[in-house]
Amino acid sequence: MNREQLQLYFIMGSQNVEEHDPIVVLEEALRGGITLFQFREKGENALTGEDKINFAKACKALCKKYNVPFIINDDVNLAIALDADGVHVGQDDANAIAIREKIGLDKILGVSTHSLTEVTAAINAGADYVGIGPVYATTSKSDANSPAGTILIEQTAATYPSLPIVGIGGITIDNCQTVIRAGADGVSLISAIATHEEPFVATRQLLHVLQQVAKIS
Ligand code: 3NM
């Protein structure tokens, strides 16, 4: 994958929004310039069954309109059924090697990792990128680990310089430059866009700040 696609990686499910319709939030984020989208319909109040499928189809169509890759979290069967651009899995989800076999080589595979051992295993499973987090405290994932800061991002970037890395967890406009300076190619985030009263404005501002740091390094 092109590591620039990780620059501003928005993740959302219908359970993550507050005052807006999630489809409106996604379109605002796409209009604002997100570079990748992950459909993550998970946790309390998440849609299931037909409702989940229909919502995923609507998100995929919007991503296509803006030419932004559409990744599905965990649900590999849904990803195959909708011909999504890729799948993202955590350590508690299905085995990454099995998923790579199922989706083939031309789809994006992302894996969440929390140690260098997990990063190495993800590479061996054929991951295109790794997610490292939670960098900061998050309220969007009830079973998230304790915040780990940027140390693992630094270690991973030093050990595997050609591996695309995205930081996750509690990332905002105020701390996103620190994540990039540590060695990440981009930031993935939920609430900084999904719960912002103006998702378009939040996205533009994040992108602007990320573009500044890209110039520094
Ligand atoms: N995964 P927010 S943290 C989905 O550490 C997810 O692997 C994490 O949401 C991990 O940007 C997280 O609102 C939630 O903090 C990120």
Side-chain angles (χ1 to χ4, degrees):
M1 79 178 296
N2 175 357
R3 44 207 306 171
E4 283 161 19
Q5 289 174 317
L6 292 175
Q7 187 179 37
L8 182 51
Y9 184 176
F10 181 44
I11 303 174
M12 189 195 70
S14 64
Q15 74 282 352
N16 296 125
V17 301
E18 286 171 356
E19 54 193 286
H20 299 298
D21 180 327
I23 283 292
V24 172
V25 172
L26 177 57
E27 181 140 28
E28 293 286 281
L30 287 162
R31 221 163 48 78
I34 59 165
T35 54
L36 202 60
F37 175 67
Q38 183 189 124
F39 177 83
R40 185 174 179 278
E41 196 61 37
K42 216 170 197 177
E44 227 180 299
N45 301 323
L47 299 173
T48 55
E50 279 299 305
D51 291 341
K52 177 181 172 184
I53 294 168
N54 290 335
F55 178 48
K57 283 182 180 166
C59 291
K60 185 189 176 222
L62 264 188
C63 288
K64 190 163 188 244
K65 177 174 161 194
Y66 287 87
N67 204 18
V68 167
F70 173 78
I71 310 274
I72 292 187
N73 181 289
D74 191 13
D75 192 340
V76 65
N77 291 330
L78 181 63
I80 290 169
L82 296 194
D83 192 27
D85 297 301
V87 177
H88 183 96
V89 284
Q91 296 294 322
D92 301 332
D93 302 329
N95 177 282
I97 297 174
I99 291 183
R100 174 53 89 198
E101 274 174 17
K102 244 176 145 173
I103 62 176
L105 291 174
D106 61 333
K107 299 290 184 188
I108 298 170
L109 175 61
V111 179
S112 296
T113 56
H114 312 94
S115 67
L116 213 47
T117 307
E118 289 180 0
V119 170
T120 306
I123 295 169
N124 291 337
D128 292 295
Y129 72 88
V130 291
I132 295 181
V135 183
Y136 305 108
T138 179
T139 52
S140 303
K141 189 174 193 276
S142 56
D143 59 349
N145 293 359
S146 316
T150 56
I151 291 168
L152 183 57
I153 293 177
E154 285 158 36
Q155 288 173 340
T156 303
T159 311
Y160 300 111
S162 61
L163 177 69
I165 300 168
V166 68
I168 187 163
I171 299 176
T172 65
I173 193 150
D174 298 321
N175 59 28
C176 63
Q177 291 193 334
T178 307
V179 180
I180 303 296
R181 287 203 185 98
D185 297 282
V187 292
S188 53
L189 41 83
I190 299 176
S191 50
I193 293 177
T195 65
H196 195 282
E197 55 188 28
E198 291 185 83
F200 172 76
V201 173
T203 307
R204 295 304 297 176
Q205 289 174 344
L206 278 158
L207 207 52
H208 179 72
V209 169
L210 289 166
Q211 281 160 356
Q212 298 298 117
V213 74
K215 280 181 208 155
I216 295 165
S217 54

